Coordinates of all heavy atoms in Angstrom, one line a residue:
M211 N 214.2 -35.0 -149.5 CA 213.6 -36.2 -148.9 C 212.1 -36.2 -149.2 O 211.5 -35.2 -149.2 CB 213.8 -36.0 -147.4 CG 213.2 -37.2 -146.6 SD 213.8 -37.1 -144.9 CE 213.1 -38.5 -144.3
K212 N 211.6 -37.4 -149.6 CA 210.2 -37.5 -149.9 C 209.3 -37.5 -148.7 O 209.7 -37.9 -147.6 CB 210.0 -38.9 -150.6 CG 210.7 -39.0 -152.0 CD 210.4 -40.4 -152.6 CE 211.0 -40.5 -153.9 NZ 210.8 -41.8 -154.5
S213 N 208.1 -37.0 -148.9 CA 207.2 -37.0 -147.8 C 206.6 -38.4 -147.7 O 206.8 -39.2 -148.5 CB 206.1 -36.0 -148.1 OG 205.3 -36.4 -149.2
T214 N 205.9 -38.6 -146.6 CA 205.3 -39.9 -146.3 C 204.4 -40.3 -147.4 O 204.4 -41.5 -147.8 CB 204.6 -39.9 -144.9 OG1 205.5 -39.4 -143.9 CG2 204.1 -41.2 -144.5
S215 N 203.5 -39.4 -147.9 CA 202.6 -39.8 -148.9 C 203.2 -40.2 -150.2 O 202.8 -41.1 -150.9 CB 201.6 -38.7 -149.1 OG 202.2 -37.6 -149.6
Q216 N 204.3 -39.6 -150.5 CA 205.1 -39.9 -151.8 C 205.7 -41.3 -151.6 O 205.7 -42.1 -152.6 CB 206.1 -38.9 -152.1 CG 205.6 -37.6 -152.6 CD 206.6 -36.5 -152.7 OE1 207.6 -36.5 -152.0 NE2 206.4 -35.6 -153.7
R217 N 206.3 -41.6 -150.5 CA 206.9 -42.9 -150.3 C 205.8 -44.0 -150.3 O 206.1 -45.1 -150.9 CB 207.6 -43.0 -148.9 CG 209.0 -42.4 -149.0 CD 209.8 -42.5 -147.8 NE 209.4 -41.3 -147.0 CZ 209.4 -41.3 -145.6 NH1 209.7 -42.3 -144.9 NH2 209.1 -40.2 -145.0
K218 N 204.7 -43.8 -149.7 CA 203.6 -44.9 -149.7 C 203.2 -45.1 -151.2 O 202.9 -46.2 -151.5 CB 202.5 -44.4 -148.9 CG 202.8 -44.6 -147.4 CD 201.5 -44.2 -146.6 CE 201.9 -44.3 -145.1 NZ 200.7 -43.9 -144.3
T219 N 203.0 -44.1 -152.0 CA 202.6 -44.2 -153.3 C 203.6 -45.0 -154.1 O 203.2 -45.9 -154.9 CB 202.3 -42.9 -154.0 OG1 201.4 -42.1 -153.2 CG2 201.8 -43.0 -155.4
T220 N 204.8 -44.8 -153.9 CA 205.9 -45.5 -154.7 C 205.9 -47.0 -154.3 O 205.9 -47.9 -155.1 CB 207.3 -44.9 -154.4 OG1 207.2 -43.5 -154.7 CG2 208.3 -45.6 -155.2
Q221 N 205.7 -47.3 -153.0 CA 205.7 -48.7 -152.5 C 204.5 -49.4 -153.0 O 204.5 -50.5 -153.4 CB 205.8 -48.7 -151.0 CG 207.1 -48.3 -150.4 CD 207.0 -48.2 -148.9 OE1 206.0 -48.2 -148.3 NE2 208.2 -48.0 -148.3
Q222 N 203.3 -48.7 -153.0 CA 202.1 -49.4 -153.4 C 202.1 -49.7 -154.9 O 201.6 -50.8 -155.3 CB 200.9 -48.5 -153.1 CG 200.6 -48.4 -151.6 CD 199.6 -47.4 -151.3 OE1 199.1 -46.6 -152.2 NE2 199.1 -47.3 -150.1
T223 N 202.7 -48.9 -155.7 CA 202.7 -49.2 -157.2 C 203.7 -50.2 -157.6 O 203.5 -50.9 -158.6 CB 202.9 -47.9 -158.0 OG1 204.2 -47.3 -157.6 CG2 201.8 -46.9 -157.8
S224 N 204.7 -50.4 -156.8 CA 205.8 -51.4 -157.1 C 205.4 -52.8 -156.7 O 206.1 -53.8 -157.1 CB 207.1 -51.0 -156.6 OG 207.1 -51.0 -155.1
R225 N 204.4 -53.0 -155.8 CA 204.0 -54.3 -155.3 C 203.1 -55.0 -156.4 O 202.3 -54.4 -157.0 CB 203.2 -54.1 -154.1 CG 203.5 -55.1 -153.0 CD 203.1 -54.6 -151.7 NE 201.8 -55.1 -151.4 CZ 201.1 -54.7 -150.4 NH1 201.5 -53.7 -149.6 NH2 199.9 -55.1 -150.1
P226 N 203.3 -56.3 -156.5 CA 202.4 -57.0 -157.5 C 201.0 -57.0 -157.0 O 200.7 -56.9 -155.8 CB 203.1 -58.4 -157.5 CG 203.8 -58.5 -156.3 CD 204.3 -57.2 -155.9
A227 N 200.1 -57.2 -157.9 CA 198.7 -57.2 -157.6 C 198.3 -58.4 -156.7 O 197.5 -58.3 -155.8 CB 197.8 -57.2 -158.8
Y228 N 198.9 -59.5 -156.9 CA 198.7 -60.7 -156.2 C 200.0 -61.3 -155.6 O 201.0 -61.2 -156.3 CB 198.0 -61.8 -157.1 CG 196.7 -61.4 -157.6 CD1 196.5 -61.0 -158.9 CD2 195.5 -61.5 -156.7 CE1 195.3 -60.6 -159.3 CE2 194.3 -61.1 -157.2 CZ 194.2 -60.6 -158.5 OH 192.9 -60.2 -159.0
R229 N 199.9 -61.8 -154.4 CA 201.1 -62.3 -153.7 C 201.3 -63.8 -153.9 O 202.4 -64.3 -153.8 CB 201.1 -61.9 -152.3 CG 201.2 -60.5 -152.0 CD 201.2 -60.2 -150.5 NE 201.1 -58.8 -150.2 CZ 201.3 -58.3 -149.1 NH1 201.4 -59.1 -148.0 NH2 201.2 -57.0 -148.9
S230 N 200.2 -64.5 -154.2 CA 200.3 -65.9 -154.3 C 199.5 -66.4 -155.6 O 198.6 -65.7 -156.0 CB 199.7 -66.6 -153.1 OG 198.3 -66.4 -153.0
L231 N 199.9 -67.6 -156.0 CA 199.2 -68.2 -157.1 C 197.7 -68.4 -156.8 O 196.9 -68.2 -157.7 CB 199.9 -69.5 -157.5 CG 199.4 -70.2 -158.7 CD1 199.4 -69.3 -160.0 CD2 200.2 -71.5 -159.0
E232 N 197.4 -68.8 -155.6 CA 196.1 -69.1 -155.2 C 195.2 -67.8 -155.2 O 194.1 -67.8 -155.6 CB 196.0 -69.8 -153.8 CG 196.5 -71.2 -153.8 CD 198.1 -71.3 -153.8 OE1 198.7 -70.3 -153.5 OE2 198.6 -72.3 -154.2
G233 N 195.8 -66.7 -154.7 CA 195.1 -65.4 -154.7 C 194.9 -65.0 -156.1 O 193.8 -64.4 -156.4
W234 N 195.8 -65.2 -157.0 CA 195.7 -64.8 -158.4 C 194.6 -65.6 -159.0 O 193.7 -65.1 -159.7 CB 197.0 -65.0 -159.1 CG 196.9 -64.9 -160.6 CD1 197.0 -63.7 -161.3 CD2 196.6 -65.9 -161.5 NE1 196.8 -64.0 -162.6 CE2 196.6 -65.3 -162.8 CE3 196.5 -67.3 -161.4 CZ2 196.4 -66.1 -163.9 CZ3 196.2 -68.0 -162.5 CH2 196.2 -67.4 -163.8
A235 N 194.5 -66.9 -158.7 CA 193.5 -67.8 -159.3 C 192.1 -67.4 -158.8 O 191.2 -67.3 -159.6 CB 193.8 -69.3 -158.9
L236 N 192.0 -67.1 -157.6 CA 190.7 -66.6 -157.1 C 190.3 -65.3 -157.8 O 189.1 -65.1 -158.2 CB 190.7 -66.4 -155.6 CG 189.4 -65.9 -154.9 CD1 188.3 -66.9 -155.2 CD2 189.6 -65.7 -153.4
G237 N 191.2 -64.4 -158.0 CA 191.0 -63.2 -158.7 C 190.5 -63.4 -160.1 O 189.5 -62.8 -160.6
V238 N 191.1 -64.4 -160.8 CA 190.7 -64.7 -162.2 C 189.2 -65.3 -162.2 O 188.4 -64.9 -163.0 CB 191.6 -65.7 -162.8 CG1 191.1 -66.2 -164.1 CG2 193.0 -65.0 -163.1
L239 N 189.0 -66.1 -161.2 CA 187.6 -66.7 -161.1 C 186.6 -65.6 -160.8 O 185.5 -65.7 -161.3 CB 187.6 -67.8 -160.0 CG 188.4 -69.1 -160.4 CD1 188.6 -69.9 -159.1 CD2 187.6 -69.8 -161.4
I240 N 186.9 -64.7 -160.0 CA 186.0 -63.6 -159.7 C 185.8 -62.7 -161.0 O 184.6 -62.4 -161.3 CB 186.5 -62.7 -158.5 CG1 186.4 -63.5 -157.2 CG2 185.7 -61.4 -158.4 CD1 187.1 -62.9 -156.1
E241 N 186.9 -62.4 -161.7 CA 186.8 -61.6 -162.9 C 185.9 -62.2 -163.9 O 185.2 -61.6 -164.7 CB 188.2 -61.3 -163.4 CG 189.0 -60.3 -162.6 CD 190.4 -60.3 -163.1 OE1 190.8 -60.9 -164.1 OE2 191.2 -59.5 -162.5
Q242 N 186.0 -63.5 -164.0 CA 185.2 -64.3 -165.1 C 183.8 -64.7 -164.6 O 183.1 -65.4 -165.3 CB 186.0 -65.5 -165.5 CG 187.3 -65.2 -166.1 CD 187.2 -64.3 -167.4 OE1 186.3 -64.4 -168.1 NE2 188.1 -63.4 -167.5
H243 N 183.5 -64.3 -163.4 CA 182.2 -64.5 -162.8 C 181.9 -66.0 -162.6 O 180.7 -66.5 -162.6 CB 181.0 -63.9 -163.6 CG 181.2 -62.4 -163.8 ND1 181.0 -61.5 -162.8 CD2 181.6 -61.7 -164.9 CE1 181.3 -60.3 -163.2 NE2 181.7 -60.4 -164.5
A244 N 182.9 -66.8 -162.3 CA 182.8 -68.2 -162.0 C 182.4 -68.4 -160.5 O 181.8 -69.4 -160.1 CB 184.0 -69.0 -162.3
V245 N 182.8 -67.4 -159.6 CA 182.4 -67.4 -158.2 C 181.8 -66.1 -157.9 O 182.1 -65.1 -158.5 CB 183.6 -67.7 -157.3 CG1 184.2 -69.1 -157.6 CG2 184.7 -66.7 -157.4
S246 N 181.0 -66.1 -156.8 CA 180.4 -64.8 -156.4 C 180.6 -64.8 -154.9 O 181.0 -65.7 -154.2 CB 178.9 -64.8 -156.7 OG 178.2 -65.9 -156.1
E247 N 180.2 -63.7 -154.3 CA 180.3 -63.5 -152.8 C 179.0 -63.4 -152.2 O 178.0 -62.8 -152.7 CB 181.0 -62.1 -152.6 CG 181.4 -61.9 -151.2 CD 182.1 -60.6 -151.0 OE1 183.3 -60.6 -151.4 OE2 181.5 -59.6 -150.6
C248 N 178.8 -64.1 -151.0 CA 177.6 -64.0 -150.3 C 177.4 -62.6 -149.8 O 178.3 -62.0 -149.2 CB 177.7 -65.0 -149.1 SG 176.3 -64.8 -147.9
D249 N 176.2 -62.1 -150.0 CA 175.9 -60.7 -149.7 C 175.9 -60.5 -148.2 O 176.2 -59.4 -147.7 CB 174.5 -60.3 -150.2 CG 174.5 -60.3 -151.8 OD1 175.5 -60.0 -152.4 OD2 173.4 -60.6 -152.3
H250 N 175.6 -61.5 -147.4 CA 175.5 -61.3 -146.0 C 176.8 -61.6 -145.2 O 177.1 -61.0 -144.2 CB 174.4 -62.2 -145.4 CG 173.1 -61.9 -146.0 ND1 172.4 -60.7 -145.8 CD2 172.3 -62.6 -146.9 CE1 171.3 -60.7 -146.5 NE2 171.2 -61.8 -147.2
H251 N 177.6 -62.6 -145.7 CA 178.7 -63.1 -144.9 C 180.1 -62.9 -145.6 O 181.1 -63.1 -145.0 CB 178.5 -64.6 -144.5 CG 177.3 -64.8 -143.8 ND1 176.2 -65.4 -144.4 CD2 176.9 -64.5 -142.5 CE1 175.2 -65.4 -143.5 NE2 175.6 -64.9 -142.3
G252 N 180.1 -62.7 -146.9 CA 181.3 -62.5 -147.7 C 182.0 -63.8 -148.1 O 183.1 -63.7 -148.7
H253 N 181.4 -65.0 -147.9 CA 182.0 -66.2 -148.3 C 181.9 -66.3 -149.9 O 180.9 -65.8 -150.5 CB 181.4 -67.4 -147.7 CG 181.6 -67.5 -146.2 ND1 182.8 -67.9 -145.7 CD2 180.8 -67.3 -145.2 CE1 182.7 -67.9 -144.4 NE2 181.5 -67.5 -144.0
R254 N 182.9 -67.0 -150.5 CA 182.8 -67.2 -151.9 C 181.9 -68.4 -152.2 O 181.9 -69.4 -151.5 CB 184.2 -67.4 -152.5 CG 185.2 -66.3 -152.2 CD 184.8 -65.1 -153.0 NE 185.7 -64.0 -152.7 CZ 185.5 -62.8 -152.9 NH1 184.4 -62.4 -153.5 NH2 186.4 -61.9 -152.6
R255 N 181.2 -68.3 -153.3 CA 180.3 -69.4 -153.7 C 180.5 -69.7 -155.2 O 180.7 -68.8 -156.0 CB 178.8 -69.0 -153.5 CG 178.4 -68.7 -152.1 CD 177.0 -68.4 -152.0 NE 176.8 -67.1 -152.7 CZ 175.6 -66.4 -152.7 NH1 174.6 -66.8 -152.0 NH2 175.5 -65.3 -153.3
D256 N 180.5 -71.0 -155.5 CA 180.5 -71.4 -156.9 C 179.2 -71.1 -157.6 O 178.2 -71.4 -157.1 CB 180.8 -72.9 -156.9 CG 180.9 -73.5 -158.3 OD1 180.8 -72.8 -159.3 OD2 181.2 -74.7 -158.4
R257 N 179.3 -70.4 -158.7 CA 178.1 -70.0 -159.4 C 177.5 -71.1 -160.3 O 176.5 -71.0 -160.9 CB 178.3 -68.8 -160.3 CG 178.5 -67.5 -159.5 CD 178.5 -66.3 -160.3 NE 177.3 -66.1 -161.1 CZ 177.3 -66.0 -162.4 NH1 178.4 -66.0 -163.1 NH2 176.2 -65.9 -163.1
S258 N 178.3 -72.3 -160.4 CA 177.9 -73.4 -161.2 C 177.7 -73.0 -162.6 O 176.7 -73.5 -163.3 CB 176.6 -74.1 -160.6 OG 176.8 -74.5 -159.3
D259 N 178.6 -72.2 -163.2 CA 178.5 -71.8 -164.5 C 179.8 -72.4 -165.3 O 180.9 -71.8 -165.1 CB 178.6 -70.3 -164.6 CG 178.5 -69.7 -166.0 OD1 178.5 -70.5 -167.0 OD2 178.3 -68.5 -166.1
P260 N 179.6 -73.5 -166.0 CA 180.7 -74.1 -166.7 C 181.4 -73.2 -167.7 O 182.6 -73.2 -167.9 CB 180.2 -75.4 -167.3 CG 178.7 -75.2 -167.3 CD 178.3 -74.2 -166.2
D261 N 180.6 -72.3 -168.3 CA 181.2 -71.4 -169.3 C 182.2 -70.4 -168.6 O 183.2 -70.1 -169.1 CB 180.1 -70.6 -170.1 CG 179.3 -71.5 -171.0 OD1 179.9 -72.5 -171.5 OD2 178.1 -71.3 -171.2
A262 N 181.8 -69.9 -167.4 CA 182.6 -69.0 -166.7 C 183.9 -69.7 -166.2 O 185.0 -69.1 -166.3 CB 181.9 -68.4 -165.5
W263 N 183.8 -70.9 -165.8 CA 184.9 -71.7 -165.4 C 185.9 -71.9 -166.6 O 187.1 -71.8 -166.5 CB 184.5 -73.0 -164.8 CG 185.6 -73.8 -164.1 CD1 186.9 -73.5 -164.0 CD2 185.4 -75.0 -163.4 NE1 187.6 -74.4 -163.2 CE2 186.7 -75.4 -162.9 CE3 184.4 -75.9 -163.2 CZ2 186.9 -76.5 -162.1 CZ3 184.6 -77.0 -162.4 CH2 185.8 -77.3 -161.9
N264 N 185.3 -72.2 -167.7 CA 186.2 -72.4 -168.9 C 186.8 -71.1 -169.3 O 188.0 -71.1 -169.8 CB 185.3 -73.0 -170.1 CG 185.0 -74.4 -169.9 OD1 185.7 -75.2 -169.2 ND2 183.9 -74.8 -170.5
R265 N 186.1 -70.0 -169.2 CA 186.7 -68.7 -169.5 C 187.9 -68.4 -168.6 O 188.9 -67.9 -169.0 CB 185.7 -67.5 -169.4 CG 184.8 -67.5 -170.6 CD 184.0 -66.2 -170.6 NE 183.3 -65.9 -169.3 CZ 182.1 -66.2 -169.0 NH1 181.4 -66.9 -169.8 NH2 181.6 -65.9 -167.8
A266 N 187.7 -68.7 -167.3 CA 188.8 -68.5 -166.3 C 190.0 -69.4 -166.7 O 191.2 -68.9 -166.6 CB 188.3 -68.9 -164.9
R267 N 189.8 -70.6 -167.1 CA 190.9 -71.5 -167.5 C 191.6 -71.0 -168.7 O 192.8 -71.0 -168.8 CB 190.4 -72.9 -167.7 CG 189.9 -73.5 -166.4 CD 189.4 -74.9 -166.6 NE 190.7 -75.6 -166.8 CZ 190.8 -76.9 -166.8 NH1 189.8 -77.7 -166.7 NH2 192.0 -77.5 -167.1
E268 N 190.8 -70.5 -169.7 CA 191.4 -69.9 -170.9 C 192.2 -68.7 -170.6 O 193.3 -68.5 -171.1 CB 190.3 -69.6 -171.9 CG 189.7 -70.8 -172.5 CD 188.5 -70.4 -173.4 OE1 188.2 -69.2 -173.6 OE2 187.7 -71.3 -173.8
E269 N 191.7 -67.8 -169.7 CA 192.5 -66.7 -169.3 C 193.8 -67.0 -168.5 O 194.8 -66.4 -168.7 CB 191.6 -65.8 -168.3 CG 192.2 -64.5 -167.8 CD 192.5 -63.5 -169.0 OE1 191.9 -63.6 -170.0 OE2 193.4 -62.7 -168.7
A270 N 193.7 -68.1 -167.7 CA 194.9 -68.6 -167.0 C 195.9 -69.1 -168.0 O 197.1 -68.9 -167.8 CB 194.5 -69.7 -166.1
W271 N 195.5 -69.7 -169.1 CA 196.4 -70.2 -170.1 C 197.1 -69.0 -170.9 O 198.3 -69.0 -171.2 CB 195.7 -71.1 -171.1 CG 196.6 -71.7 -172.1 CD1 196.8 -71.3 -173.4 CD2 197.5 -72.9 -171.9 NE1 197.8 -72.2 -174.0 CE2 198.2 -73.1 -173.1 CE3 197.7 -73.7 -170.8 CZ2 199.1 -74.1 -173.2 CZ3 198.6 -74.7 -170.9 CH2 199.3 -74.9 -172.1
R272 N 196.2 -68.0 -171.3 CA 196.8 -66.9 -172.0 C 197.6 -65.9 -171.2 O 198.6 -65.4 -171.7 CB 195.6 -66.1 -172.7 CG 194.9 -66.8 -173.8 CD 194.0 -65.9 -174.6 NE 193.0 -65.2 -173.7 CZ 191.8 -65.7 -173.5 NH1 191.4 -66.8 -174.0 NH2 191.0 -65.1 -172.7
N273 N 197.2 -65.7 -170.0 CA 197.9 -64.7 -169.1 C 198.3 -65.3 -167.8 O 197.6 -65.0 -166.8 CB 197.0 -63.5 -168.9 CG 196.7 -62.8 -170.2 OD1 197.6 -62.5 -171.0 ND2 195.5 -62.5 -170.5
P274 N 199.3 -66.2 -167.7 CA 199.6 -66.9 -166.5 C 200.1 -65.9 -165.4 O 200.6 -64.8 -165.7 CB 200.6 -68.0 -166.9 CG 201.2 -67.4 -168.1 CD 200.2 -66.6 -168.8
F275 N 200.1 -66.4 -164.2 CA 200.7 -65.7 -163.0 C 202.2 -65.5 -163.3 O 202.8 -66.5 -163.8 CB 200.4 -66.5 -161.8 CG 200.9 -65.8 -160.5 CD1 200.3 -64.7 -160.0 CD2 202.0 -66.3 -159.8 CE1 200.7 -64.1 -158.8 CE2 202.4 -65.8 -158.7 CZ 201.8 -64.6 -158.2
P276 N 202.7 -64.4 -163.0 CA 204.2 -64.2 -163.3 C 205.0 -65.2 -162.6 O 204.9 -65.4 -161.4 CB 204.4 -62.8 -162.7 CG 203.1 -62.1 -162.8 CD 202.1 -63.1 -162.5
G277 N 205.9 -65.9 -163.3 CA 206.8 -66.9 -162.8 C 206.2 -68.3 -162.7 O 206.9 -69.2 -162.3
A278 N 204.9 -68.4 -163.2 CA 204.3 -69.8 -163.2 C 204.0 -70.2 -164.6 O 203.8 -69.4 -165.5 CB 203.0 -69.7 -162.3
T279 N 203.9 -71.5 -164.8 CA 203.6 -72.0 -166.1 C 202.1 -72.0 -166.3 O 201.3 -72.0 -165.3 CB 204.1 -73.5 -166.2 OG1 203.4 -74.3 -165.3 CG2 205.6 -73.6 -166.0
P280 N 201.6 -72.0 -167.5 CA 200.1 -72.0 -167.7 C 199.5 -73.3 -167.1 O 198.4 -73.2 -166.6 CB 200.0 -72.0 -169.2 CG 201.2 -71.4 -169.7 CD 202.3 -71.8 -168.8
E281 N 200.2 -74.4 -167.1 CA 199.7 -75.6 -166.5 C 199.5 -75.5 -165.0 O 198.5 -75.9 -164.5 CB 200.6 -76.8 -166.8 CG 200.7 -77.2 -168.3 CD 201.7 -76.4 -169.1 OE1 202.4 -75.5 -168.5 OE2 201.8 -76.7 -170.3
A282 N 200.5 -74.8 -164.4 CA 200.4 -74.6 -162.9 C 199.2 -73.7 -162.6 O 198.5 -73.8 -161.6 CB 201.7 -74.1 -162.4
C283 N 199.0 -72.7 -163.5 CA 197.9 -71.7 -163.2 C 196.6 -72.4 -163.4 O 195.7 -72.2 -162.6 CB 198.0 -70.6 -164.2 SG 199.5 -69.6 -163.9
I284 N 196.4 -73.3 -164.4 CA 195.2 -74.0 -164.5 C 194.9 -74.9 -163.4 O 193.8 -75.1 -162.8 CB 195.1 -74.7 -165.9 CG1 195.0 -73.7 -167.0 CG2 194.0 -75.7 -165.9 CD1 195.1 -74.3 -168.4
A285 N 196.0 -75.6 -162.9 CA 195.9 -76.5 -161.7 C 195.5 -75.7 -160.5 O 194.6 -76.1 -159.7 CB 197.2 -77.2 -161.5
A286 N 196.0 -74.4 -160.3 CA 195.6 -73.6 -159.2 C 194.1 -73.2 -159.3 O 193.4 -73.2 -158.3 CB 196.5 -72.4 -159.2
I287 N 193.7 -72.9 -160.5 CA 192.3 -72.5 -160.7 C 191.4 -73.7 -160.3 O 190.4 -73.6 -159.6 CB 192.0 -72.1 -162.2 CG1 192.7 -70.8 -162.4 CG2 190.5 -72.1 -162.5 CD1 192.0 -69.7 -163.1
D288 N 191.7 -74.9 -160.8 CA 191.0 -76.1 -160.5 C 191.0 -76.3 -159.0 O 189.9 -76.7 -158.4 CB 191.5 -77.3 -161.2 CG 191.3 -77.2 -162.7 OD1 190.5 -76.4 -163.2 OD2 192.0 -77.9 -163.4
E289 N 192.1 -76.2 -158.3 CA 192.2 -76.4 -156.9 C 191.3 -75.4 -156.1 O 190.6 -75.8 -155.1 CB 193.7 -76.3 -156.4 CG 193.9 -76.6 -154.9 CD 193.5 -78.0 -154.6 OE1 193.6 -78.9 -155.4 OE2 193.1 -78.2 -153.4
V290 N 191.4 -74.1 -156.5 CA 190.5 -73.1 -155.8 C 189.1 -73.4 -156.0 O 188.3 -73.3 -155.1 CB 190.9 -71.7 -156.3 CG1 189.9 -70.7 -155.8 CG2 192.3 -71.3 -155.8
M291 N 188.7 -73.8 -157.2 CA 187.3 -74.2 -157.5 C 186.8 -75.4 -156.6 O 185.7 -75.4 -156.2 CB 187.0 -74.5 -159.0 CG 186.9 -73.2 -159.8 SD 185.6 -72.1 -159.3 CE 184.2 -73.0 -159.9
R292 N 187.7 -76.4 -156.4 CA 187.4 -77.5 -155.6 C 187.1 -77.1 -154.2 O 186.4 -77.8 -153.4 CB 188.4 -78.6 -155.7 CG 188.3 -79.4 -157.0 CD 189.2 -80.7 -156.9 NE 190.6 -80.3 -156.9 CZ 191.3 -80.2 -158.0 NH1 190.8 -80.4 -159.1 NH2 192.6 -79.9 -157.9
S293 N 187.8 -76.0 -153.7 CA 187.7 -75.6 -152.3 C 186.5 -74.7 -152.1 O 186.2 -74.4 -150.9 CB 189.0 -74.9 -151.9 OG 189.1 -73.6 -152.5
I294 N 185.8 -74.3 -153.1 CA 184.6 -73.4 -152.9 C 183.3 -74.2 -153.1 O 183.2 -74.9 -154.1 CB 184.7 -72.3 -154.0 CG1 186.0 -71.4 -153.7 CG2 183.5 -71.4 -153.9 CD1 186.2 -70.3 -154.8
G295 N 182.4 -74.0 -152.2 CA 181.1 -74.7 -152.3 C 180.1 -73.9 -153.0 O 180.4 -72.7 -153.4
D296 N 179.0 -74.5 -153.2 CA 177.9 -73.7 -154.0 C 177.0 -73.0 -153.1 O 176.0 -72.3 -153.5 CB 177.2 -74.7 -154.9 CG 176.5 -75.8 -154.2 OD1 176.7 -75.9 -153.0 OD2 175.7 -76.5 -154.9
S297 N 177.2 -73.1 -151.8 CA 176.4 -72.3 -150.8 C 177.2 -71.7 -149.7 O 178.3 -72.2 -149.5 CB 175.3 -73.2 -150.2 OG 175.9 -74.2 -149.5
C298 N 176.7 -70.7 -149.1 CA 177.4 -70.0 -148.0 C 177.3 -70.9 -146.7 O 176.2 -71.3 -146.4 CB 176.9 -68.7 -147.8 SG 177.6 -67.8 -146.3
P299 N 178.4 -71.2 -146.1 CA 178.3 -72.1 -144.9 C 177.6 -71.4 -143.7 O 177.2 -72.1 -142.8 CB 179.8 -72.4 -144.5 CG 180.6 -71.3 -145.2 CD 179.8 -70.9 -146.4
D300 N 177.5 -70.1 -143.7 CA 176.9 -69.4 -142.6 C 175.4 -69.0 -142.9 O 174.7 -68.5 -142.0 CB 177.6 -68.1 -142.3 CG 179.0 -68.4 -141.7 OD1 179.2 -69.4 -141.1 OD2 179.9 -67.5 -141.8
C301 N 174.9 -69.2 -144.1 CA 173.5 -68.9 -144.4 C 172.5 -70.0 -143.9 O 172.8 -71.1 -143.8 CB 173.3 -68.7 -145.9 SG 173.9 -67.1 -146.5

């Protein structure tokens, strides 16, 4: 019988990194530095960097979310970007 720590490790490694297309899209935007986090409140902010947004869209096309089409991934990136403002609502 496996110990508790061995079971947790097995479960953690078998789980996908992202559970939803929107979460994946936000992750891509963060990786490409298209969005940043407010240092004080943790809200996401649009960095207003069109090159970073284009890099995120290219990454979505080359490496789409598992089970989704590249077109759906780009649409998800665009939708997430539309929902993020350029300033923190709490600042």
Side-chain angles (χ1 to χ4, degrees):
M211 183 169 184
K212 293 181 180 179
S213 69
T214 305
S215 63
Q216 288 174 331
R217 278 185 271 152
K218 285 183 182 178
T219 304
T220 304
Q221 289 173 351
Q222 289 172 351
T223 58
S224 65
R225 216 160 97 192
Y228 297 102
R229 294 183 185 186
S230 68
L231 182 58
E232 291 77 18
W234 172 86
L236 181 59
V238 170
L239 289 166
I240 291 168
E241 288 172 0
Q242 298 301 323
H243 304 287
V245 298
S246 62
E247 184 177 287
C248 172
D249 295 329
H250 302 290
H251 303 105
H253 293 286
R254 302 291 178 199
R255 297 180 297 190
D256 181 357
R257 290 190 56 238
S258 301
D259 183 354
D261 292 329
W263 192 357
N264 287 333
R265 283 193 310 270
R267 294 183 69 170
E268 289 171 9
E269 180 65 22
W271 184 262
R272 285 192 307 268
N273 299 310
F275 182 71
T279 64
E281 293 85 2
C283 293
I284 290 175
I287 291 224
D288 292 342
E289 183 63 31
V290 169
M291 281 301 287
R292 280 193 293 272
S293 71
I294 296 175
D296 60 352
S297 62
C298 174
D300 291 336
C301 282

